[in-house]
């Protein structure tokens, strides 16, 4: 008989006794949002508040639901629950109690927890816990809004009919160090109960993946029936989140009523690979071709919105046999750093600063810089959704690379070579891309039609005159130049 030193257990006949315990359990991961910043400002006060909250709220709620605190860090903890229902109930009780305790507190001193919950096969050893289930819970915690709870799809399925609290479907999310997309559901204290699934779910969006020439995985999806329309890559995309978003869902569903819409998450964001070697105009044009091939569409219209207008112009010139026509909304042929005027460079620098200093911050004020520019006339709930899209769509590093690429785009010479019917639409008060850039694009493209839309939004919002007029013009144009068959 030999002795396994690590386990200090006997080994017989070459079989090593299992040195750890493995079991199926719910794991809750929590941390304090903005902890480092608060510690830098007021170390003693932050620690005192945290100690009080943990002793009076967190641990009692965990104990009441038979949770076992496996591990603590400076600002966070991992908790094991035998019941996934109790894990979720414990988390929601903690967050509701914390919301009450934080009421009246200055915003910069509030202790706000982010919580992630997953159900998985866990490994327990030497008082610690390991495994893929723990990794997923930690990533869910990072996706949660401060004061909110994010759960995996398996957790949501387990509690959906047993806990009457509102979880919002955030769709599939690509997270760091997890190769597969994770479907995420989020609860926040102010969420409304969703009693029915969106009608658009009947369209059965199905996300698929295609491999670009350099090995990058591109997520794409198609919805609707009719003549095919390929949507070019925007600065920020997320196929799943957009499908449930009050910003994009109405537009996507309406487009799907009169066309077969194919769209994809550009490299660097959404469900496509984030950490990629190349982000360039050449790569974006190549990715459009990859998706068209994967979707098996040979002849199609191109829908370009914002930056995608420049890529669509290029694609139409380089692939004239594939493209039937162009619909270009709120776009440009030259990026900010290619336009005359000091104000455009200053806007570029302001945006770069916001990305660099605040993109990953839990404080939405940095992302709201872009929201208030993109959709200044939108109601609060729409703005909040756009804030959230930025947070989950990409990393600060990828956002900066995309921002820099878009600011250097230059396709003015290519625009003169477009030979397909083109419809250019632009809001008069667009604050992201001045209407002068839209007019320039229409002037450069031979025979292009130009339509001015009312309002100041860069992204069109359902219920506005600009939104209605866009669809009136686009439906007629596509019927003429991109007919079925």
């Amino acid at each position: 008989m030999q002795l396994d030193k690590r386990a200090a257990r006997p080994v017989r006949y070459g079989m090593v006794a299992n040195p750890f315990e493995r079991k199926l359990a719910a794991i809750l991961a929590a941390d304090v949002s903005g902890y480092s910043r608060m510690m830098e400002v007021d170390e003693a006060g932050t620690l005192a508040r945290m100690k009080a909250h943990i002793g009076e709220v967190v641990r009692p709620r965990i104990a009441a639901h038979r949770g076992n605190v496996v591990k603590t860090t400076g600002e966070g903890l991992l908790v094991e629950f035998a019941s996934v229902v109790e894990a979720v109930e414990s988390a929601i009780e903690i967050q509701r109690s914390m919301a009450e305790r934080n009421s009246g507190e200055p915003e910069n001193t509030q202790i706000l927890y982010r919580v992630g919950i997953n159900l998985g096969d866990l490994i327990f050893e030497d008082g610690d816990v390991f495994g893929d289930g723990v990794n997923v819970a930690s990533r869910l915690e990072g996706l949660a809004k401060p004061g909110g709870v994010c759960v995996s799809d398996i957790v949501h399925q387990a509690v959906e009919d047993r806990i009457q609290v509102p979880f919002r479907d955030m769709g599939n999310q690509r997270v760091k160090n997890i190769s597969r997309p994770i479907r995420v559901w989020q609860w926040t204290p102010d969420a409304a109960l969703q009693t029915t699934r969106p009608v658009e779910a009947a369209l059965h969006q199905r996300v698929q993946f295609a491999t670009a020439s350099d090995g990058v995985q591109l997520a794409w999806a198609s919805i609707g029936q009719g003549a095919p329309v390929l949507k070019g890559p925007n600065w920020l995309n997320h196929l799943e989140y957009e499908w449930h978003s009050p910003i994009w869902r109405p537009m996507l569903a309406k487009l799907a009523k009169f066309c077969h819409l194919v769209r994809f998450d550009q490299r660097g964001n959404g469900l496509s690979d984030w950490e990629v070697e190349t982000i360039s105009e050449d790569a974006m044009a190549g990715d459009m071709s990859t998706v068209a091939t994967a979707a098996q569409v040979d002849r199609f219209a191109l829908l370009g919105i914002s930056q995608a207008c420049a890529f669509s112009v290029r694609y139409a010139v380089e692939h004239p046999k594939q493209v039937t026509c162009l619909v270009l909304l709120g776009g440009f042929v030259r990026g900010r750093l290619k336009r005359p005027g000091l104000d455009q460079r200053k806007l570029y620098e302001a945006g770069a600063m916001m990305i660099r200093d605040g993109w990953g911050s839990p404080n939405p004020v940095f992302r709201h810089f872009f929201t208030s520019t993109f959709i200044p006339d939108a109601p609060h709930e729409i703005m909040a959704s756009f804030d959230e899209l930025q947070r989950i769509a990409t990393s600060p590093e990828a956002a900066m690379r995309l921002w820099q690429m878009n600011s250097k785009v230059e396709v003015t010479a290519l625009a003169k070579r477009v030979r397909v019917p083109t419809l250019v639409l632009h809001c008069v008060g667009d604050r992201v891309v001045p209407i002068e850039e839209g007019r320039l694009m229409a002037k450069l493209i031979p025979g292009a039609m130009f339509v001015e839309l009312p309002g100041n939004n860069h992204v069109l919002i359902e219920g506005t005159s600009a939104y209605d007029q866009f669809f009136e013009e686009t439906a007629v144009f596509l019927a003429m130049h991109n007919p079925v068959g």
Side-chain angles (χ1 to χ4, degrees):
M1 185 172 68
Q2 297 177 330
L3 186 67
D4 176 40
K5 295 180 180 179
R6 181 183 180 196
R9 294 176 181 175
V11 179
R12 292 184 174 88
Y13 309 112
M15 297 296 291
V16 180
N18 193 346
F20 47 74
E21 178 187 6
R22 183 189 292 273
K23 63 180 177 179
L24 182 68
I27 191 77
L28 179 153
D31 76 347
V32 175
S33 175
Y35 174 76
S36 298
R37 171 187 55 79
M38 289 191 293
M39 287 292 285
E40 182 180 5
V41 174
D42 180 13
E43 188 176 84
T46 299
L47 287 173
R49 290 193 302 276
M50 279 186 55
K51 185 177 180 180
H53 292 318
I54 290 173
E56 298 169 16
V57 175
V58 179
R59 285 188 178 273
R61 299 301 190 281
I62 290 172
H65 291 277
R66 296 177 293 176
N68 173 42
V69 178
V70 179
K71 183 178 182 179
T72 62
T73 60
E75 79 281 17
L77 68 164
L78 286 175
V79 186
E80 172 221 351
F81 291 85
S83 163
V84 69
V85 172
E86 299 225 66
V88 174
E89 288 179 338
S90 173
I92 291 175
E93 287 181 15
I94 288 170
Q95 296 293 49
R96 283 174 171 165
S97 296
M98 289 301 300
E100 292 177 5
R101 291 169 73 95
N102 281 321
S103 62
E105 280 281 330
E107 185 176 342
N108 62 346
T109 63
Q110 292 181 5
I111 302 294
L112 295 170
Y113 285 100
R114 298 180 301 178
V115 178
I117 302 175
N118 186 38
L119 177 65
D121 193 27
L122 308 179
I123 298 171
F124 294 84
E125 182 181 20
D126 298 330
D128 208 343
V129 61
F130 306 93
D132 183 68
V134 179
N135 297 336
V136 171
S138 297
R139 300 306 175 213
L140 292 169
E141 167 207 292
L143 288 172
K145 280 186 174 182
V149 179
C150 276
V151 303
S152 60
D153 192 50
I154 190 171
V155 170
H156 183 261
Q157 290 180 41
V159 305
E160 184 177 15
D161 297 327
R162 303 174 68 183
I163 301 178
Q164 294 302 309
V165 294
F167 279 91
R168 181 169 60 83
D169 188 356
M170 295 177 68
N172 287 327
Q173 303 289 332
R174 188 173 288 278
V175 296
K176 187 176 182 180
N177 297 331
I178 304 291
S179 60
R180 66 191 185 282
I182 304 295
R183 189 171 184 183
V184 181
W185 297 79
Q186 179 164 255
W187 172 90
T188 54
D190 58 350
L193 184 63
Q194 181 177 313
T195 56
T196 58
R197 302 281 183 179
V199 174
E200 292 79 6
L203 293 170
H204 300 300
Q205 170 178 277
R206 186 164 65 94
V207 177
Q208 302 179 67
F209 291 86
T211 304
S213 58
D214 59 354
V216 172
Q217 291 293 301
L218 301 171
W220 67 276
S222 63
I223 50 175
Q225 297 180 343
V229 174
L230 175 64
K231 181 177 175 290
N234 290 97
W235 178 42
L236 295 176
N237 294 111
H238 194 296
L239 293 175
E240 291 279 15
Y241 186 83
E242 289 175 349
W243 188 234
H244 300 283
S245 160
I247 303 171
W248 289 107
R249 186 182 68 232
M251 175 176 278
L252 296 173
K254 194 159 186 174
L255 283 168
K257 290 180 180 179
F258 58 82
C259 72
H260 171 57
L261 180 65
V262 178
R263 62 195 229 282
F264 69 101
D265 288 338
Q266 67 178 346
R267 59 177 59 208
N269 77 156
L271 296 176
S272 295
D273 286 346
W274 287 13
E275 298 177 5
V276 298
E277 182 176 346
T278 304
I279 290 182
S280 66
E281 294 177 54
D282 289 345
M284 294 299 170
D287 291 349
M288 293 174 71
S289 181
T290 296
V291 172
T293 300
Q296 299 181 342
V297 289
D298 300 320
R299 289 273 291 168
F300 48 86
L302 278 175
L303 169 61
I305 300 176
S306 193
Q307 71 171 61
C309 293
F311 298 129
S312 298
V313 164
R314 171 175 174 167
Y315 196 91
V317 173
E318 295 179 349
H319 303 270
K321 293 183 179 180
Q322 283 189 308
V323 180
T324 60
C325 61
L326 296 174
V327 177
L328 307 175
L329 171 65
F332 53 87
V333 292
R334 53 186 185 178
R336 276 199 173 93
L337 295 180
K338 296 294 184 178
R339 302 170 195 164
L342 185 60
D343 64 321
Q344 292 298 302
R345 174 168 286 277
K346 287 183 176 179
L347 284 171
Y348 164 78
E349 292 172 351
M353 180 186 68
M354 290 294 178
I355 295 171
R356 183 181 61 250
D357 296 341
W359 193 270
S361 169
N363 188 339
V365 69
F366 295 96
R367 296 184 297 277
H368 201 66
F369 167 83
F370 295 100
T371 301
S372 60
T373 306
F374 275 68
I375 46 175
D377 295 341
H380 174 74
E381 62 272 16
I382 299 292
M383 287 191 166
S385 179
F386 195 82
D387 282 346
E388 183 77 347
L389 171 62
Q390 295 172 73
R391 188 175 72 87
I392 67 172
T394 190
S395 65
E397 296 77 17
M400 180 65 80
R401 293 176 70 188
L402 293 166
W403 182 256
Q404 292 170 340
M405 176 193 68
N406 293 332
S407 296
K408 298 174 183 177
V409 164
E410 173 68 82
V411 295
T412 51
L414 286 175
K416 300 174 184 178
R417 296 167 53 192
V418 172
R419 294 295 182 267
V420 297
T422 302
L423 173 64
V424 179
L425 308 101
H426 212 107
C427 285
V428 175
D430 191 329
R431 298 181 185 179
V432 175
V433 181
I435 193 171
E436 290 77 18
E437 295 300 316
R439 291 196 185 105
L440 173 63
M441 183 162 57
K443 289 177 182 177
L444 292 173
I445 297 174
M449 296 172 55
F450 182 68
V451 177
E452 288 189 3
L453 302 176
N456 303 311
N457 290 333
H458 184 62
V459 177
L460 300 185
I461 304 299
E462 184 184 29
T464 63
S465 297
Y467 178 93
D468 294 339
Q469 189 175 348
F470 167 80
F471 276 101
E472 290 172 6
E473 299 284 353
T474 300
V476 172
F477 183 80
L478 289 178
M480 291 175 58
H481 302 291
N482 191 49
V484 178

